[in-house]
Amino acid sequence: MIVGIDDTDSKKGMCTTYLCAVLVDELKGYGDVSTPRLVRLNPCIPFKTRGNGAVSFEINVTQGKEETVKEVVKAIVSELSEVQEEETNPGVVFIDDIALRAVKGGGSDEMNMHRLKNFYETAVRDVLEIEHAYEIISELQFDHFGLKKKRGVIGALAAASFLLVQKREPAYYDFTYELIAYRRKERWGTSRVIEEASVWNADEATYPVTWDTVDLANKKLVLAPHSPCPVLFGIRGDRVDALYKAYQLIRAEPTEREMLFVTNQGTDSHLITREEAKGTVHDHHSYILDGVVESNPRTIEGGHVVVALSLSQNAEEHIECMAYEPTKSFRDIIRQLRIGDEVTVYGSFKNRTINLEKIELWKLNVEALRNPKCDKCGKRMESAGRSQGYRCKRCKTYCSEKEVQIVNRGIKEGLYEVPPVARRHISKPLIRMCKQEGIGNIHPSR
Ligand code: ATP
């Protein structure tokens, strides 16, 4: 049986991954439980609490215990969810073995799998209505459970679908791991005790197989949340052995439990490619877009840096790109852009603005036009009037064209990213791109 769960936490407490960890440990008595999945869904969803995470796991239920397992899940979700908070609307989806066989059996196999795959991918990149989840749940005869508005069934079905696709084809989606350590209950809401030096040590011993544990440039630890939730810290990375190695090196307060998750974090799964976008953009979606810089960058109130872009695939589309203040030194890259630079931007779109996560500088505009110099006196000529060339009043010399000067740009072409302190869970760190795709000309921020 596959179990998907979402929307159990609030800004004031709880964490859906913790609830999942409790369940995984609790349910071991009823059959083998898989490594749970943690999926990050569309980061632009307005109702998210933090990182729009949802979870799922599979349990090989001992025969005759299916209903008991469902009851345990319902009881723990009901007990631990922050239902007193208005924005918490828990949802659970069960894909039991009969439903699973139906999904995988007969001629409709491919179609059903396709629907679920599509549901997960839409949940990561698009905005879904709850009716869409109910339609699939009812047609594929999945069992479900929810509290209040039950909006969590969207994320629950998406997380269960992700697991189902991975089960059939483990490498179908790019994936990473996170090892999360949870605090003892009596410490929830108090400040976290983590020995800083040990974290720097752990990072040094395991980077770049682990990443986003620290932010070197900003001298900050980024492995621990700042909310009153049960998470002590999480170590993210590409290999399980490296995660445990880092974990063993970190000295911190005693934990209640640890749980390893397979995740879609650090994969850029939320980004709609330039081919898919076809030059049109909509709010609450995230994109990879090619364009040409059409204004000089400005620093606005709050320290955010903004620059205008015309999209290559649709010259009618003019958007703004924003490097927000928390992106720190990434803003220096944006500040050095010039009109005419050819770039690719990565990020979420809202109110005609892309919130920059990465930028690739393809072709820097190194040409500057200046009034020509007089051959005789060497001084810059003046304009002789609109479209009438340039002249030197004193020497009576004339030139029809401006002079092209090559300017020395302070930046290099290549891919840049926001630093770990400002990175979204789902964004792929450039260090992963270097390793996976062997792309050069990458400037990882660390
Ligand atoms: P976490 O704190 O665990 O990182 P989150 O708490 O930020 O995640 P939730 O509290 O789970 O987010 O709230 C997100 C809500 O939005 C859930 O009810 C989920 O079902 C719903 N949701 C997720 N993705 C989509 C989507 N693409 N379209 C519509 N609703 C979505």
Side-chain angles (χ1 to χ4, degrees), residues 6-7 9 40 45 49-53 123 126 128 151-152 154-155:
D6 195 14
D7 210 340
D9 56 9
R40 298 288 174 179
I45 286 298
T49 313
R50 286 177 291 264
N52 201 6
D126 211 330
L128 283 159
R151 196 191 291 130
I154 301 175

Side-chain angles (χ1 to χ4, degrees), residues 21-55:
V22 171
L23 269 173
V24 165
D25 287 339
E26 196 82 12
L27 290 173
K28 280 182 182 148
Y30 299 95
D32 292 339
V33 187
S34 72
T35 305
R37 305 313 197 250
L38 162 58
V39 290
R40 298 288 174 179
L41 303 173
N42 187 346
C44 316
I45 286 298
F47 356 93
K48 68 173 184 177
T49 313
R50 286 177 291 264
N52 201 6
V55 298

Side-chain angles (χ1 to χ4, degrees), residues 5-11 14-17 38-43 45-55 87-91 119-130 150-158 284 425:
I5 306 167
D6 195 14
D7 210 340
T8 65
D9 56 9
S10 77
K11 285 199 173 73
M14 196 34 60
C15 171
T16 306
T17 71
L38 162 58
V39 290
R40 298 288 174 179
L41 303 173
N42 187 346
I45 286 298
F47 356 93
K48 68 173 184 177
T49 313
R50 286 177 291 264
N52 201 6
V55 298
E87 286 306 309
T88 305
N89 293 287
F119 187 86
Y120 160 71
E121 290 171 12
T122 312
V124 179
R125 295 167 170 210
D126 211 330
V127 183
L128 283 159
E129 296 296 329
I130 193 165
K150 308 179 186 178
R151 196 191 291 130
V153 294
I154 301 175
L157 182 60
H284 305 307
H425 295 288

Side-chain angles (χ1 to χ4, degrees), residues 17 35-36 38 40 175-182 211-212 222-225 231-240 243-244 258-266 425:
T17 71
T35 305
L38 162 58
R40 298 288 174 179
F175 67 92
T176 64
Y177 298 94
E178 180 163 2
L179 177 62
I180 307 182
Y182 297 98
W211 28 262
D212 288 0
V222 291
L223 79 170
V231 173
L232 178 59
F233 60 77
I235 303 163
R236 289 158 279 217
D238 290 295
R239 268 194 356 242
V240 176
L243 263 59
Y244 281 100
E258 292 76 36
M259 188 58 59
L260 177 74
F261 291 86
V262 169
T263 92
N264 67 352
Q265 295 177 155
H425 295 288

